[in-house]
Amino acid sequence: MSGDELLARLEDPELYLVDVRDPDEVADWQIPGVHNIPLASLGSRVTELPEDKDLVLVCAKGTRALQGAELLAELGVESRVLEGGMATWGSTYDQVAADFGGATVVQLRRRGKGCLSYVVGAGSRAVVIDPSRQLGKYRDVAR
């Protein structure tokens, strides 16, 4: 599952997120609504997983989640993995736009980090306020 797909489905009651990182890692930073079952105990806690939900595993970069998905597959449980893990979530953006007095204001929200930035444009000019490192996002909006 991509970060954009997760973003689109974050409020979906059919989605069940399991973070397989250790509890201290999850406490530092997590996706809203995630359930923490560390990889080391995933096999023994498989009965805690719902059978009627779209199960998506998450970890820091995707490696442990892939191991968890392989383990679950061996136990007959279907799951998917957030591609790139929390690193992907940290660089997933959504946006909203509105027109104000001849200018268009686009708010870009970096969901995993809670950062907000803005592109304000009128005619052929635009300014970016408080950008993050992914400058391509702002170039796309300005176009």
Side-chain angles (χ1 to χ4, degrees), residues 40-129:
S41 61
L42 186 60
S44 64
R45 294 178 60 187
V46 71
T47 58
E48 296 176 33
L49 301 174
E51 296 177 12
D52 60 342
K53 305 271 184 190
D54 184 9
L55 183 63
V56 177
L57 305 182
V58 179
C59 68
K61 296 181 181 175
T63 305
R64 284 181 279 180
L66 282 171
Q67 293 171 346
E70 290 171 2
L71 171 66
L72 290 177
E74 291 172 9
L75 298 172
V77 177
E78 285 186 40
S79 66
R80 298 192 294 159
V81 170
L82 175 61
E83 298 166 4
M86 293 300 290
T88 292
W89 180 242
S91 61
T92 299
Y93 289 77
D94 61 356
Q95 64 187 47
V96 63
D99 291 323
F100 297 95
T104 299
V105 178
V106 179
Q107 179 189 64
L108 288 101
R109 178 171 52 167
R110 191 171 167 200
R111 290 295 295 261
K113 296 290 186 173
C115 301
L116 298 174
S117 53
Y118 302 86
V119 177
V120 180
S124 63
R125 298 181 150 218
V127 63
V128 177
I129 301 167

Side-chain angles (χ1 to χ4, degrees), residues 27-49:
D28 287 341
W29 183 35
Q30 61 186 275
I31 298 171
V34 74
H35 304 271
N36 182 218
I37 303 177
L39 179 60
S41 61
L42 186 60
S44 64
R45 294 178 60 187
V46 71
T47 58
E48 296 176 33
L49 301 174

